Structure formats: structure tokens, C-alpha cells
Amino acid sequence: MFFFSGENMTGGYGGADIISSCTITVNRGEIVAILGPNGAGKSTAMKAMLGLLNLKSGKVSINGKDISKLTPQDRVKEGISFVPQTRNVFTGLSVKENLEMGAFLREEHIEEIINEIYELFPVLKEKSSQIVGELSGGQRQQVALGRALMTKPTVLMLDEPTAGVSPIVMDELFDHILKVKKTNVAIIMVEQNAKQALSIADRGYVLVTGENKFSGTGKELLNDPEVRRSFLGG
Amino acid sequence: MILKLEDHFWVDNMDIINAIVLLLNYIFVPALSYGSQLALGAIFVSLIYGILRFAYFTAGDLMSFGTMFTILFTWYFQSLGISLGILPTALIAIPFGIVITIFYVLVKDKLVFSYYRFKKSPPVMLAMVSIGTMFVTQAIVRIVIGPFDRRFFDGEKFILKANEFKEMTGLNEGLTIKSTQVITLLVTIVVVSVLFWFLNKTKTGKSMRAYSDNEDLALLSGIDPKKVVMITWVIAAILATIGGTLYGLDKSFKPFTYFNNMLPIFAAAIVGGIGNPFGAFLGGYVIAFSEILITYAYKKFFIYLLPESIEPDSLLQLLSTDYKFAVSFSILVVVLLFRPSGIFKGKVL
Ligand SMILES: Nc1ncnc2c1ncn2[C@@H]1O[C@H](COP(=O)(O)OP(=O)(O)OP(=O)(O)O)[C@@H](O)[C@H]1O
Ligand SMILES: [Mg+2]
């Protein structure tokens, strides 16, 4: 029994099915990586788990509770937080305001949580009153992560958190994600940097044309000759 | 000899001061109050564009609607013998006008706009719908109060009269300051400060900016779109009623003029970068000053400054006041062509 799971999810954006019988599960304190070629339906699978997409069949549940019928907003209230692949910050607002908006549903302890986020991402404290649109790509990704963490989620879904950042910043971001994992959060992340992602992930799924093609622990996938040949570049 | 020379210089200095007073009187003071009135309209147009994501063509007529109710309440209070002494009675009528206008925009949203929002209609369609509600609003105003020109100002008209100023200073040129101009400026400063405090410092205000910035992420953060939309309409109704009433007090209330004012108001919002309320606020003054600077006849100004031999005989007016809307229109076109995000950065149209 997994803490958060989408089982046999089938559906799309109104036209043909983009994902079919796709299953993704994660436990608290675990990092699960979703890999696969461009257009495989990785983002779509994540959106389905958040409820941004109507599923034809399949079931999404958290902590044993079926949430398949809930709206995205209600799933957020259940403890799921999502960092979209694009447009994942409020560019016109300051860093601090972004964090405040992340905690919009919270009535109290906002300052405390903001301070926790600042401890996790010291650069955000330094830039707290700067407009996010003026930050570098790596800093923006940290704002996006910080905003998502403001709800104190039990599940964190990250769509390509390291897109467009340099290798050094990527390692930093992965370090941050590992820190978040240690706070007992269940993390699902879509990644293009497959090798690095699998090296920090506990488990991984490889999606191809919307279906689970391979799955296993990070090590298993890294060492699987077929996965290596087709997805990791030898 | 020496005395004569000094005399000559002294006269020249007076001429310069007269020329400056002339500009203050005919350009600066009127443009400041007209600019404030446009700014109040442009701010809510910009806000609606940022949050509801469409061009709200009912803007001018909403201002006329709010002003009309303020006038009706003003008449009612006058009939009861209530007055503010030297201040216009309309000032106590404004809150009542606002309440009715808020009610009107919320009903309009519920009956009309919410349907298209729910259907996720494209912005152009919503803009067209707002032209429809513009006609309805116009009709209501014409049925209730009629299309005529009305003055509803009472109280002390001038703070400074031209004659008094001339006596005080000994200058040829008079400076007139109407109480409506000062009221406009003071009310605008208060309203705009409160509005920007609200948008920048309160949780609800920040959530409105967040919603305008990135709707999807706002929804994922738990921001309630219904509340954001409702508050946007409430602010629009408040600004429309106040801006419209100030304009009517300063000039007069004629529904058709309010409809026409839509052009400078939209020009101000677009110059300021549509979706950016602070830009719209500044845009109001940019448009007002341009309009008045370009349609002012500078003949007298140059008569003061130039030696008699080369004094102008023509009016030295760049554009007749009949064509003042051409100024807003030209600015609009130039901004859209060369800097569609506006001078002060907003969304690209
Ligand atoms: N909003 C949408 N409406 C319609 N089709 C969409 C939408 N978003 C994605 N698709 C389609 O669904 C398919 C899968 O897209 P998805 O974004 O899930 O891929 P992905 O695996 O995340 O790819 P990438 O690695 O490039 O981010 C693509 O063919 C895409 O064209
Ligand atoms: Mg994707």
C-alpha cells in the first residue's frame, strides 16, 4: 500500500489518450523519478495525479483515500503540492510574496514557515524583496520549490525542477530535493537528466507513449542494459 | 540712461512670470485635475484587464452610471436641506452612488460575464460582450436621467479667483484654482494611496496581483478566483463612481461625454502598460498633459516672451480642441505600434 498513487490512469486532453494504464506510486520519504522521451506523457501523468485532467479510467489515492473525483484545489488541501514545468512562479511578485502566496490557505505560522524555507534556500532570504522575474533560472526554480513547500505538503510533485540550469546548479537543486525528502515528504519528479535523477531517486519509472515501459529502483534502472541503451545514452 | 535700462529688464522678468502663470492657469492646473479623473478610470480598466483578461468597454458608461446615482442622491440630500457648506453635497452622495454601482456590476457579472468566464471564452468575445453591456448601461442612464448636460455642483466654486490673484501679485495674468480641482487632486491621492496599499500590502491584494500574474499557479496555491473577481468589480465600481463624479463636478455631467472619455481612458491604460494599475495611474497624467499641451493656443504665451517685432499673429495652436481625441488616439496607435507593453511595462496586448 503506497502513500500516494495513481493506478492504471488512462486519459488525455479531450482527443486521443495521452497516457494509458499508467501507474505511478510513491511513499513518504521516497523520491520517485519519471523518465522518458519528450512527449511521452510525463507531465500529463503528473497533471492527472493532481486532477488537472479528466481521466477516463484509473484511480488516484492518497493515504488510502480515493481522491479521483476531487478538484486540483481540493487535492492541494489534501497535502499535494505541484511545481509545474513552466510558469511555476509569480514573476511580477517579490520572492517573499511568492512564498506568502504559497501559504495562501494558511492562517498562521506563515513567518515561521517562510523562515524554514529561507534556511533551506539561503539565497531566497538574501533576495527576499526582489521581483522574481529578475532572478536567474536556478534561483527561480528555488522560488518555485519554496512556494510549493509553503503548504507543508506530504506529497511534492516536481516537473523538471532542473530544466535549463547549469550542472553545478543542478547538483545544488538535487541536494535541496534530498533535504526535502529527509523531512518525510513523498517526492515525484520528472527529469530529463536521467542519470543524475536516478542516482538520487529511490525508484524510477520509464514512460514511453504514455505507458509504463520499465520500472525499478534507481540502481536497477541505471544498470539495466536496455534502459541504458535507449534512455541513458549507452 | 541706467534707470531706463533697469526698467527694461524689470519688465522682461515680469513677462516671464506672466508667461509661467499663463501656462499654470491654462495647462498645468487643468491637466492635473483632468489627469486624475482619467487616472481613476484607467486604473480600473487596467485592473479588469489584468484579472478578468478582457478590455472592458463599458468603462466610460460605468462612470456615467455611478455619477448619475451620485447626482440623484445629491438632489435628494439637497431637497432634505442637507449640505456640506462650502463643499459640494455630492461628496456625501458618492458612497451611496458607489453602493448602487457595486450592486450593478456584481449583478451584471453574475448574469452576463460569469457565463462566458465559465465557458472560458476568448478575451475578444468578453470584450464584445462588454460592448453589449455598454449599450445596456447607456440605455439605463438615458432612461433614468436623460441625455442632457447637467450641473450638480454646489458650495464654494473658487479657492483662488483670477482677480484676487492679480491683486495679490500685481501680475497681468490671473491664476484660477477651482475648488473642484483641489477636491479632485486630494480625493485622487487618498483613493490611489489606499488602493496601492491594498494591492501591495494586504493578503487579498497580493492574491489579486498573483492571480493577474499567473492564474494557474494562483489556483494551485488555493487563491479563490470568485473572490478575486468580485473584489475587482467592487474596486472598479468605486473608482468609476468617484472618478466620474469628480469629472462631473469639475465640468458637467453629460452621458455622451462620459462615453467619449473611454478613448483617453483606454489610451492612459495602454500607455501605462495594460494590466499594470500603477502605470495606468501615471498614464492618466501623460494623456491629460499631452491633450492639453497640444490643443492649447500659445499665442499669448509668446507675446509675453518675444520682442514685439517678432510677435506671432496666428493662434499657435497645434490642434484645435475639437480634435482633442485625436491626441489620445495617436498616442494609442504609436504606443501599440512601437511599445505594445506600454511605457511602464504591462502585459503585451
Ligand atoms: N494542454 C494540452 N492539450 C493538448 N495536448 C497536450 C497538452 N499538453 C500536452 N499535450 C500533448 O500530450 C503529449 C504528452 O505531453 P507531455 O507534456 O505530457 O509530455 P512530456 O513527457 O512531459 O514531454 P517533455 O519531456 O517534452 O516535457 C504531447 O503529444 C503533447 O502534444
Ligand atoms: Mg513535460
Side-chain angles (χ1 to χ4, degrees):
Chain A
M1 191 65 199
F2 286 95
F3 182 73
F4 180 51
S5 64
E7 288 158 55
N8 298 314
M9 300 181 292
T10 303
Y13 298 94
D17 290 346
I18 305 290
I19 48 172
S20 38
S21 260
C22 172
T23 295
I24 288 164
T25 59
V26 65
N27 266 322
R28 296 191 71 164
E30 188 185 37
I31 296 180
V32 166
I34 304 180
L35 312 173
N38 289 119
K42 305 183 294 294
S43 299
T44 306
M46 250 187 192
K47 287 184 199 161
M49 293 178 87
L50 192 72
L52 290 170
L53 174 91
N54 294 328
L55 284 179
K56 280 192 190 148
S57 60
K59 179 180 160 193
V60 181
S61 57
I62 183 167
N63 205 7
K65 179 181 172 186
D66 186 345
I67 55 169
S68 309
K69 296 280 172 290
L70 295 189
T71 61
Q73 284 83 344
D74 287 335
R75 295 190 201 195
V76 170
K77 285 179 198 154
E78 292 291 330
I80 304 167
S81 208
F82 175 50
V83 179
Q85 183 169 359
T86 52
R87 313 224 323 126
N88 52 20
V89 288
F90 299 109
T91 46
L93 272 59
S94 73
V95 171
K96 179 140 190 247
E97 285 171 341
N98 264 270
L99 298 181
E100 286 168 359
M101 288 301 110
F104 187 79
L105 293 172
R106 215 169 252 289
E107 292 300 330
E108 49 206 4
H109 307 305
I110 293 177
E111 286 299 318
E112 268 169 60
I113 305 173
I114 288 181
N115 283 331
E116 285 172 28
I117 303 288
Y118 283 161
E119 257 168 58
L120 203 57
F121 310 105
V123 68
L124 298 190
K125 183 172 192 177
E126 207 179 293
K127 307 262 178 193
S128 67
S129 53
Q130 196 159 342
I131 299 298
V132 171
E134 298 166 356
L135 297 181
S136 75
Q139 291 165 342
R140 260 190 231 201
Q141 291 292 14
Q142 297 186 41
V143 175
L145 272 176
R147 186 209 60 84
L149 289 172
M150 286 299 294
T151 54
K152 293 235 156 187
T154 48
V155 175
L156 183 61
M157 294 202 285
L158 310 171
D159 198 346
E160 304 204 14
T162 65
V165 304
S166 71
I168 295 173
V169 177
M170 183 176 80
D171 287 344
E172 259 180 53
L173 284 171
F174 280 147
D175 277 348
H176 289 311
I177 293 168
L178 281 170
K179 274 191 244 166
V180 175
K181 165 191 160 164
K182 292 213 180 75
T183 61
N184 205 25
V185 173
I187 299 175
I188 303 180
M189 66 177 183
V190 169
E191 259 305 329
Q192 294 291 348
N193 302 301
K195 275 185 193 160
Q196 290 87 339
L198 285 178
S199 67
I200 69 157
D202 298 285
R203 289 185 299 119
Y205 294 91
V206 178
L207 295 193
V208 178
T209 56
E211 293 176 42
N212 291 64
K213 181 102 181 190
F214 302 99
S215 59
T217 65
K219 253 203 201 97
E220 278 167 11
L221 288 175
L222 271 176
N223 295 329
D224 184 314
E226 205 178 337
V227 174
R228 285 180 74 100
R229 199 167 353 99
S230 34
F231 300 106
L232 306 178
Chain B
M1 253 328 254
I2 293 170
L3 234 170
K4 227 177 164 184
L5 201 67
E6 272 187 349
D7 198 46
H8 179 79
F9 273 123
W10 185 77
V11 170
D12 258 359
N13 279 337
M14 288 304 282
D15 276 351
I16 292 174
I17 295 174
N18 271 317
I20 292 173
V21 171
L22 189 72
L23 293 190
L24 280 179
N25 193 34
Y26 288 102
I27 295 179
F28 188 75
V29 173
L32 208 54
S33 56
Y34 176 46
S36 307
Q37 291 146 9
L38 289 185
L40 293 175
I43 291 174
F44 83 77
V45 165
S46 207
L47 209 58
I48 291 179
Y49 188 89
I51 288 179
L52 295 155
R53 296 169 213 287
F54 70 92
Y56 182 57
F57 286 114
T58 321
D61 289 293
L62 187 68
M63 293 175 89
S64 129
F65 183 95
T67 312
M68 172 180 80
F69 275 100
T70 306
I71 293 174
L72 295 178
F73 278 104
T74 306
W75 288 344
Y76 177 64
F77 290 137
Q78 284 168 340
S79 75
L80 295 180
I82 298 172
S83 99
L84 277 178
I86 55 164
L87 293 173
T89 313
L91 290 184
I92 30 172
I94 285 179
F96 298 88
I98 288 177
V99 170
I100 292 190
T101 312
I102 290 176
F103 180 73
Y104 179 62
V105 287
L106 292 181
V107 167
K108 193 157 61 101
D109 184 68
K110 186 91 194 143
L111 293 183
V112 185
F113 290 114
S114 68
Y115 170 77
Y116 294 93
R117 232 181 5 256
F118 182 72
K119 283 211 327 187
K120 296 205 186 322
S121 301
V124 185
M125 193 186 265
L126 278 153
M128 290 300 129
V129 170
S130 83
I131 293 180
T133 64
M134 173 188 88
F135 286 126
V136 173
T137 312
Q138 266 175 12
I140 295 175
V141 171
R142 268 153 223 225
I143 289 167
V144 175
I145 204 170
F148 316 107
D149 204 348
R150 291 176 195 274
R151 289 173 195 278
F152 58 104
F153 177 82
D154 54 0
E156 185 64 48
K157 188 151 192 192
F158 293 101
I159 286 185
L160 185 62
K161 285 186 185 153
N163 288 338
E164 290 171 358
F165 181 83
K166 285 184 198 168
E167 272 168 37
M168 258 161 46
T169 57
L171 292 167
N172 288 342
E173 277 309 315
L175 179 61
T176 314
I177 297 181
K178 291 195 285 180
S179 55
T180 52
Q181 293 168 329
V182 175
I183 292 171
T184 294
L185 206 59
L186 291 180
V187 170
T188 304
I189 291 171
V190 171
V191 169
V192 170
S193 316
V194 170
L195 177 67
F196 286 111
W197 169 80
F198 171 77
L199 287 178
N200 292 320
K201 297 286 179 234
T202 66
K203 185 174 170 184
T204 310
K206 286 177 195 177
S207 75
M208 290 175 68
R209 284 165 51 224
Y211 186 88
S212 160
D213 189 301
N214 187 339
E215 185 179 340
D216 294 334
L217 198 61
L219 297 179
L220 288 181
S221 305
I223 292 169
D224 180 5
K226 287 202 189 96
K227 191 176 166 197
V228 168
V229 167
M230 188 186 89
I231 293 172
T232 307
W233 284 121
V234 169
I235 294 175
I238 293 173
L239 294 178
T241 308
I242 294 178
T245 304
L246 292 174
Y247 184 88
L249 281 173
D250 200 22
K251 299 186 171 86
S252 68
F253 173 73
K254 190 177 180 193
F256 187 65
T257 317
Y258 280 65
F259 162 72
N260 274 338
N261 279 347
M262 200 152 67
L263 183 59
I265 286 173
F266 266 82
I270 288 170
V271 163
I274 193 142
N276 170 353
F278 190 71
F281 169 63
L282 298 179
Y285 296 97
V286 171
I287 297 296
F289 274 87
S290 318
E291 205 176 271
I292 295 181
L293 280 169
I294 290 175
T295 54
Y296 180 67
Y298 289 90
K299 182 176 180 184
K300 212 172 170 193
F301 176 72
F302 284 107
I303 290 181
Y304 276 120
L305 293 185
L306 298 175
E308 242 169 83
S309 52
I310 52 167
E311 264 172 17
D313 343 294
S314 71
L315 279 174
L316 289 182
Q317 189 178 22
L318 288 171
L319 208 60
S320 142
T321 41
D322 295 340
Y323 295 105
K324 62 174 181 174
F325 287 118
V327 178
S328 315
F329 191 74
S330 314
I331 296 177
L332 196 64
V333 170
V334 169
V335 170
L336 285 178
L337 278 181
F338 295 105
R339 212 183 147 89
S341 62
I343 300 178
F344 306 107
K345 266 275 150 70
K347 290 182 199 307
V348 176
L349 274 175

